[in-house]
Amino acid sequence: MRHQIHVMTPVRQSYAELPLLKEHRYHFFFGNEYSIELYERLKEEACLHQCHYIGVLEMPGIYFYKPERCGLLLDVVPYGPEPAMHAIAYLDRLEAELWTLWQEGIFYLAGKEEAAAAFEQALLLRGIAPEQIVHVC
């Protein structure tokens, strides 16, 4: 049996070290219920620099969360039996024209390490370059 080696992009230690929003027009965020505050900060910066942003959060089924009540552009998916499986399926549902734009963007990954790694692998398989992927704490 052959083992697949997965190399993760470097982890950024703080929000201040994230790539400058003005250098990128499109920003995509993946995380979980513990990364909502980080996502809100990203949204504020994106709006300040007139950038586009979107995100998907994994959350347990017991939570009832309406992101639109907080003014956030994101979708919420439940945790699945496999890490990030519903969030990865979300990528497959993006319209072709929209996906073309996001392929030029930057992707911020937060949340559980296994889910972030699975989501990163899905992005790489879809042609996203490793330098477009940033792991945040």
Side-chain angles (χ1 to χ4, degrees):
M1 181 180 200
R2 192 172 163 186
H3 295 283
Q4 184 179 19
I5 297 174
H6 182 266
V7 179
M8 292 182 72
T9 54
V11 174
R12 302 291 178 138
Q13 292 303 311
S14 72
Y15 183 76
E17 295 176 16
L18 292 178
L20 294 175
L21 286 164
K22 62 185 175 185
E23 294 176 9
H24 303 277
R25 187 161 184 206
Y26 301 99
H27 301 266
F28 189 101
F29 185 81
F30 167 75
N32 63 14
E33 68 272 20
Y34 298 108
S35 46
I36 293 173
E37 182 179 329
L38 178 61
Y39 184 78
E40 288 174 333
R41 292 171 66 190
L42 174 67
K43 173 219 171 204
E44 291 169 7
E45 288 294 314
C47 290
L48 180 67
H49 295 288
Q50 298 178 342
C51 299
H52 300 276
Y53 75 95
I54 194 170
V56 61
L57 291 181
E58 282 189 310
M59 301 187 93
I62 60 172
Y63 285 103
F64 177 74
Y65 182 73
K66 290 281 191 183
E68 62 273 10
R69 288 184 184 167
C70 299
L72 298 175
L73 295 173
L74 64 90
D75 285 300
V76 176
V77 297
Y79 285 114
E82 297 293 322
M85 70 180 268
H86 295 297
I88 293 168
Y90 170 87
L91 291 176
D92 294 332
R93 292 189 303 270
L94 287 177
E95 295 176 24
E97 299 84 22
L98 185 61
W99 183 242
T100 301
L101 295 175
W102 290 107
Q103 289 211 355
E104 298 175 13
I106 189 159
F107 294 78
Y108 302 91
L109 309 184
K112 295 181 180 179
E113 187 175 335
E114 301 84 16
F119 199 81
E120 177 179 24
Q121 190 65 32
L123 291 172
L124 294 171
L125 290 172
R126 286 162 176 79
I128 300 299
E131 54 272 3
Q132 290 175 262
I133 303 170
V134 179
H135 289 261
V136 292
C137 305

